[in-house]
Amino acid sequence: ASSGLDVYDSKSESFGHIPIQKNGISTIFSDSRGRMWIGSNTSLKYFYPANPKRTVSVDLKTETDYLIYTIYEDHEKNIWVGSNKGLFVLFFDNKNNISVKKFTSNQQEYSLSSNDISSITEDADKNLWIGTRTEGINLFDKKKNRFYNLKKI
C-alpha cells in the first residue's frame, strides 16, 4: 500500500487514491470554496472532491522539508498554514493564482514567538490567534503586520 489519501465516491461506490510522497498526511482541511487541503511531511496540496485525481501542489517557497501541522481559512478566505518552519498565508487572485507570504520567528519584538506553529483560529472580532508548540500563543495584528506573544496563559 502506498501512502496518501483514499477518497470514497458514493456515486460509483468506489475509492480513489491520492498519493502523497514520504511519511503520509498530517492534516486535512475543507475550505469555504469546496477545496480539500492535504498537509503532509513534505507538501501542501488541494483538490476538489468532484475531481480528486486532479490535485494541485502549492509551493510554499521553503528550501527545506517541512511538516504541515494545521490549515485554517480566515473570514477573508485566505488560507493560513502552520508548520514546523513558520506560518504561511496563501492569497488567491480572481484567476485562482496563489501568492504566498511567510512569517517566521526572528527573535524581534513583534515577530512570531516560534516557528513551530500547531494551531490557528480567528475569534468573533476577526483577530487571528496562532498557537505554537513551545512558545505560547500569538495574536496577529493584520493592520500593523505584528505579532503579540502571550506566553503565560
Side-chain angles (χ1 to χ4, degrees), residues 11-125:
K11 291 178 185 172
S12 67
E13 295 185 349
S14 64
F15 283 92
H17 184 76
I18 299 171
I20 302 292
Q21 296 177 354
K22 297 184 185 177
N23 302 327
I25 295 170
S26 54
T27 188
I28 300 171
F29 177 77
S30 175
D31 73 16
S32 66
R33 294 181 177 128
R35 293 177 293 226
M36 292 295 295
W37 292 85
I38 305 167
S40 76
N41 290 9
T42 58
S43 67
L44 177 65
K45 297 181 179 194
Y46 72 86
F47 67 92
Y48 291 92
N51 189 7
K53 292 187 179 180
R54 186 184 174 279
T55 62
V56 177
S57 292
V58 178
D59 181 6
L60 293 179
K61 299 174 180 21
T62 182
E63 55 287 334
T64 59
D65 283 348
Y66 50 86
L67 172 59
I68 303 294
Y69 291 123
T70 187
I71 303 168
Y72 182 79
E73 181 180 25
D74 69 17
H75 74 280
E76 296 172 327
K77 300 191 184 315
N78 299 315
I79 301 295
W80 294 80
V81 178
S83 78
N84 64 334
K85 302 290 184 186
L87 178 68
F88 302 86
V89 61
L90 313 179
F91 304 98
F92 290 83
D93 66 17
N94 57 4
K95 294 181 181 176
N96 221 23
N97 296 313
I98 301 172
S99 60
V100 178
K101 183 172 184 176
K102 181 178 181 182
F103 296 98
T104 57
S105 173
N106 60 15
Q107 307 304 317
Q108 299 298 315
E109 183 177 3
Y110 297 111
S111 75
L112 278 168
S113 59
S114 168
N115 288 329
D116 216 1
I117 309 301
S118 59
S119 59
I120 306 165
T121 195
E122 196 171 38
D123 65 24
D125 294 324

